[in-house]
Amino acid sequence: MEIIIKQDSREASHAAAGVVARLIHEKPNAVIGLATGSTPLVLYRELIRKHKEEGLDFSRVTTFNLDEYIGLEKEHEQSYHTFMWENLFSQINIKAENVHIPDGMVADVSAFCTEYERKIVAAGGIDIQVLGIGSDGHIGFNEYTSSFASRTRIKTLTQRTVKDNARFFGGDKSKVPHHCITMGIGTIMDARMNLLLAFGEGKAKAVADTIEGPVAAIVPSSILQHHPNAKLFVDEAAATQLKLVDYYRWVYEGKPEWQKDA
Ligand code: GLP
């Protein structure tokens, strides 16, 4: 794991955007896994800026989103379809046919999930998977006790996630769907790089458990300790419960010149 602690979420998001942009420069037909929630918003804004001002070209990029609520139409204002089109896709030159987001209204969920996995493989696998993290350590919607071998499937949200996400539904818990389709932890672990963003004090415990806790299904994100190329971009507030914070800074600041952008 590489722990990158930046002053604030803006700096961290811009550094993460640099990693994504470099991939697209090096591999114009890159496959990128994307996340929703408030955390990746600044990263997406920076990618849009790079597209508009620096010509970052998404015309051959393929994307796969992590998850979607079951029971929300694509057009619903809180669907992850709406989120992604509003906050990223409508402002870059990505082709609609290259965008993949689980369909929360599909009749046969199991068949859909199998096909989603097949499409990821057919696209060549995910080069970079962008992740946020729930306050309980969930990634995608893989709640605690999710199998580390899980693939795309239906999941039930925890009551804590329903409560956390009620803020997007006017604060009304009863409006938050209880089920979702999410890529599995096995799917996420297959990505060639995982890039996790975590900001704010509310994520500090989850971040510490992810990096310094035991690998255990009770904290799904802890599996990233087993990933060969996981980068964690956190702000100062999210780093407050890390025991080895000075070590992570020392490693990052002392990176050899040739490794600095890697
Ligand atoms: C949801 C999403 C996750 C996201 C998490 C954190 O549960 N399914 O992918 O990481 O929320 O959201 P936020 O970034 O708003 O804190």
Side-chain angles (χ1 to χ4, degrees), residues 227-240:
H227 194 277
N229 195 2
K231 291 182 192 293
L232 275 67
F233 289 86
V234 303
D235 64 1
E236 293 286 353
T240 47

Side-chain angles (χ1 to χ4, degrees), residues 53-97:
E53 293 176 17
E54 298 168 11
L56 185 63
D57 181 15
F58 290 82
S59 63
R60 294 176 59 204
V61 168
T62 296
T63 63
F64 286 90
N65 262 80
L66 281 167
D67 47 15
E68 177 60 287
Y69 292 110
I70 287 186
L72 295 194
E73 302 275 356
K74 287 182 185 167
E75 298 72 28
H76 189 284
E77 59 167 8
Q78 286 310 329
S79 78
Y80 287 166
H81 276 79
T82 300
F83 177 98
M84 289 309 302
W85 280 98
E86 272 182 3
N87 292 300
L88 182 63
F89 298 145
S90 63
Q91 297 170 72
I92 56 175
N93 66 332
I94 195 154
K95 294 198 176 98
E97 64 265 32

Side-chain angles (χ1 to χ4, degrees), residues 36-39 67 80 132-133 138 140-141 161 165 167-168 203:
T36 51
S38 50
T39 304
D67 47 15
Y80 287 166
I133 186 169
H138 73 244
F141 265 135
T161 301
N165 289 3
R167 68 192 195 277
F168 297 114
K203 301 291 171 69

Side-chain angles (χ1 to χ4, degrees), residues 176-196:
V176 183
H178 286 190
H179 294 104
C180 62
I181 293 177
T182 180
M183 272 186 206
I185 296 184
T187 324
I188 292 169
M189 288 296 282
D190 281 349
R192 286 183 269 278
M193 181 193 291
N194 267 292
L195 202 160
L196 186 145

Side-chain angles (χ1 to χ4, degrees), residues 5-31:
I5 304 164
K6 295 283 183 181
Q7 189 65 32
D8 53 31
S9 57
R10 189 174 169 276
E11 253 192 56
S13 300
H14 285 205
V19 176
V20 175
R22 194 164 47 252
L23 167 72
I24 298 172
H25 284 307
E26 285 167 6
K27 186 179 176 187
N29 62 343
V31 179

Side-chain angles (χ1 to χ4, degrees), residues 97-127:
E97 64 265 32
N98 290 346
V99 166
H100 303 87
I101 306 173
D103 180 352
M105 295 301 288
V106 75
D108 187 340
V109 173
S110 300
F112 178 86
C113 293
T114 304
E115 180 60 8
Y116 202 70
E117 289 280 332
R118 195 200 58 75
K119 282 185 180 160
I120 294 173
V121 173
I126 293 172
D127 291 301

